[in-house]
Amino acid sequence: MSPPPEELGGAPRLGFESGVATGRGDDGSTGLLYGGPRVAKDDPRVEAYGTVDESVAALGVARAQLALKAQYGVLPPSFGRLDELILRLQRELFVVGAELATPRELADRLRDGETRVTRAMVDALGEILAALEANLALPKEFVVPGETMTSATLELARTTVRRAERRVVALHRLGLLGESQVLPYLNRLADLLWVLARAAEQAESRSA
């Protein structure tokens, strides 16, 4: 899993080992955060936060696509600061991943907004979603992804987030999640990415 936010800022390492190739995972196991036990790499918890990590990477493709458009001067003005929003979502997914990578018995060590998803984070996505929907003509039939490269990359990220959501549902059913805002967050994020993809389609069609 990609390091959680505090790892990037030089704060406590939460049990991460130094170096990249430690060799400890050669047996198919990996360590959880805060010194949690080692588990198999196909453990439901690892499947969940691993898919969240894929979502971060998929959003990175979308952000790189925007950077390329900006470099060549073809970024639609209506995109505004979409790249900043995507970066924010990537960083928030680090929070999701950190919470999922923490054993339930060590949940008291989690910190709101840093390693634990909060209701405020969920509500903030809802506000962005509502603002976008108010200014878009949303389709009334199934959408086939691929109208534009930007919208297609956002759709890829959306479907990856939905898969992460399904993995977390499985984790919850096993009693390994506890009280958490992770499921509402992922659900709202997938909805937001769908709407962002539609916004990208409409913005790029207007600028063509």
Side-chain angles (χ1 to χ4, degrees):
M1 188 191 75
S2 295
E6 55 270 69
E7 177 73 356
L8 302 177
R13 296 183 60 83
L14 307 181
F16 274 96
E17 301 161 344
S18 60
V20 176
T22 66
R24 295 192 64 189
D26 290 352
D27 63 352
S29 69
T30 188
L32 299 179
L33 294 188
Y34 296 104
R38 294 190 69 79
V39 296
K41 289 183 178 180
D42 64 352
D43 182 270
R45 186 178 293 280
V46 182
E47 286 284 357
Y49 72 67
T51 310
V52 169
D53 198 28
E54 290 181 52
S55 302
V56 176
L59 283 171
V61 176
R63 191 159 58 89
Q65 175 67 20
L66 292 174
L68 188 63
K69 285 181 175 293
Q71 178 182 342
Y72 287 98
V74 294
L75 186 69
S78 59
F79 272 16
R81 305 310 302 172
L82 179 56
D83 58 336
E84 291 182 0
L85 174 59
I86 292 175
L87 180 59
R88 167 184 163 181
L89 298 176
Q90 288 178 291
R91 288 174 171 161
E92 289 188 355
L93 283 171
F94 280 151
V95 181
V96 175
E99 181 172 343
L100 293 175
T102 301
R104 186 173 179 180
E105 61 271 19
L106 297 175
D108 61 324
R109 301 194 186 185
L110 296 173
R111 295 190 294 277
D112 287 352
E114 296 181 7
T115 51
R116 175 168 43 221
V117 178
T118 65
R119 186 68 207 182
M121 292 169 62
V122 178
D123 291 342
L125 292 187
E127 291 172 6
I128 297 170
L129 182 59
L132 282 169
E133 287 182 304
N135 293 284
L136 283 177
L138 295 178
K140 301 184 183 302
E141 56 189 20
F142 286 110
V143 175
V144 179
E147 288 298 315
T148 71
M149 181 61 76
T150 304
S151 67
T153 56
L154 288 167
E155 287 280 20
L156 178 61
R158 175 188 65 81
T159 58
T160 310
V161 169
R162 283 297 185 202
R163 181 153 50 88
E165 182 185 15
R166 294 193 296 272
R167 297 291 186 268
V168 175
V169 168
L171 199 65
H172 178 66
R173 292 179 66 181
L174 290 170
L176 299 175
L177 190 59
E179 294 295 325
S180 174
Q181 292 295 320
V182 165
L183 273 174
Y185 181 89
L186 292 175
N187 183 46
R188 205 77 78 253
L189 176 57
D191 290 341
L192 174 57
L193 292 176
W194 187 87
V195 173
L196 284 174
R198 306 291 74 76
E201 288 171 347
Q202 293 178 31
E204 291 182 299
S205 65
R206 287 194 297 268
S207 64

